[in-house]
Amino acid sequence: MEYRNEWKYLVTGGDLAILRARLNVVLRPDAHQTGAVYCIRSLYFDDARDSALRENEDGVDARRKFRIRIYNGDASHMNLEIKEKLHGYTKKTGCPLTREQADRILAGLPPRIEAGTPAPLNLLAVEMQLNRLRPVVIVDYERTAYVGRLGNVRITLDQNIAGSADVGQFFDPRPALHPILPPGQHVLEVKFDEFLPAPIADVLELGEMQRISFSKYTLCREALGPGVKGTLYEHQGRNQEIRFAGIY
């Protein structure tokens, strides 16, 4: 995959409803989405020097992050992903990951390298061995995704962003999570190739929205400092719109 534009905005609850209504007219829901939202849970890595965190905070131009990601709590289908950023553009590569491989990585052991091992897994093994890369934080949220062929546009609305520094809870169906954003704040992400079609740009024009530099990983790391404990939030089930108490 080539590098793409990625714009991010903070959105209030009222604007979120307006955006949903507008996007439903000009774009179609992502083919993998069933229902109003789906849950994303990512396990992010950093090295012994916290390089990923420091590079995000310092705005280093060329940087990358490793993560393991599952959807709707289904650990039978997970991916190892590497997200790279260069000159304001982003690129994501990855490969499937088995539960056995993930358990080994969570235990602090590099993945086994064999003939035919995908390149992202090879790179993770090297980083774990040379730079002591290890899992450091869980990031969990609900997403609504829209796509369009013109400009290869993908727009996502992310709600209820929460995290945990207890990486051992990654596969727990109900991990203890700590809310990250203030009540009523959500994140809009706009990804596209060479251009953003004018009709979609018009839909996103709400007057008060401003582009921001935003990293869920960095925000979770900063919020989940020493002594921060997660709160176990009630939810209705991953096939319905999930409400985490204390986040709205």
Side-chain angles (χ1 to χ4, degrees), residues 101-112 124-125 128-129 133 135:
Q101 289 171 322
D103 285 341
R104 178 180 173 85
I105 292 167
L106 274 166
L109 300 173
R112 296 184 178 91
L124 176 64
M128 290 184 74
Q129 291 172 331
L133 198 74

Side-chain angles (χ1 to χ4, degrees), residues 20 36-37 142 159 236-243 248:
R20 284 186 189 277
V37 298
E142 289 83 48
Q159 305 170 242
Q236 300 175 0
R238 291 306 188 190
N239 292 325
Q240 304 176 40
E241 187 165 354
I242 302 164
R243 301 282 176 169
Y248 278 77

Side-chain angles (χ1 to χ4, degrees), residues 186-208:
H186 316 284
V187 177
L188 166 72
E189 296 185 2
V190 183
K191 302 180 181 71
F192 58 97
D193 290 344
E194 293 84 2
F195 67 97
L196 182 65
I200 299 175
D202 291 342
V203 163
L204 298 176
E205 181 55 57
L206 293 179
E208 298 180 355

Side-chain angles (χ1 to χ4, degrees), residues 60-76:
V60 174
D61 183 52
R63 58 185 189 266
R64 68 184 176 196
K65 290 194 291 285
F66 290 78
R67 68 191 179 200
I68 295 173
R69 176 166 285 187
I70 60 175
Y71 298 90
N72 294 322
D74 183 6
S76 65

Side-chain angles (χ1 to χ4, degrees), residues 16-218:
L16 190 71
I18 295 172
L19 284 169
R20 284 186 189 277
R22 291 181 177 183
L23 290 170
N24 280 326
V25 174
V26 298
L27 295 174
R28 65 183 188 279
D30 185 275
H32 300 290
Q33 178 173 305
T34 58
V37 298
Y38 61 98
C39 178
I40 294 177
R41 184 177 299 166
S42 298
L43 179 69
Y44 281 89
F45 293 72
D46 213 332
D47 61 25
R49 300 179 298 278
D50 280 333
S51 297
L53 178 61
R54 296 178 186 278
E55 288 173 359
N56 265 327
E57 291 175 331
D58 295 340
V60 174
D61 183 52
R63 58 185 189 266
R64 68 184 176 196
K65 290 194 291 285
F66 290 78
R67 68 191 179 200
I68 295 173
R69 176 166 285 187
I70 60 175
Y71 298 90
N72 294 322
D74 183 6
S76 65
H77 296 89
M78 77 180 88
N79 294 308
L80 169 66
E81 297 180 348
I82 303 174
K83 187 172 183 180
E84 300 175 79
K85 192 158 191 174
L86 181 65
H87 306 322
Y89 295 86
T90 62
K91 179 174 71 171
K92 186 173 71 174
T93 56
C95 65
L97 199 67
T98 67
R99 178 60 186 267
E100 180 183 1
Q101 289 171 322
D103 285 341
R104 178 180 173 85
I105 292 167
L106 274 166
L109 300 173
R112 296 184 178 91
I113 303 304
E114 303 166 345
T117 298
L121 204 57
N122 277 324
L123 188 55
L124 176 64
V126 170
E127 289 291 332
M128 290 184 74
Q129 291 172 331
L130 296 184
N131 296 316
R132 290 195 290 164
L133 198 74
R134 80 285 188 202
V136 291
V137 73
I138 297 169
V139 180
D140 188 283
Y141 53 95
E142 289 83 48
R143 167 169 283 180
T144 303
Y146 300 89
V147 294
R149 293 178 181 173
L150 191 61
N152 190 23
V153 176
R154 179 177 173 84
I155 296 178
T156 56
L157 299 169
D158 296 337
Q159 305 170 242
N160 300 337
I161 301 171
S164 173
D166 185 356
V167 298
Q169 293 190 89
F170 184 64
F171 294 115
D172 193 321
R174 299 181 63 196
L177 298 170
H178 181 79
I180 300 303
L181 289 178
Q185 285 194 0
H186 316 284
V187 177
L188 166 72
E189 296 185 2
V190 183
K191 302 180 181 71
F192 58 97
D193 290 344
E194 293 84 2
F195 67 97
L196 182 65
I200 299 175
D202 291 342
V203 163
L204 298 176
E205 181 55 57
L206 293 179
E208 298 180 355
M209 288 200 320
Q210 294 184 346
R211 284 178 58 186
I212 58 170
S213 177
F214 185 91
S215 165
K216 298 184 186 75
Y217 165 72
T218 299

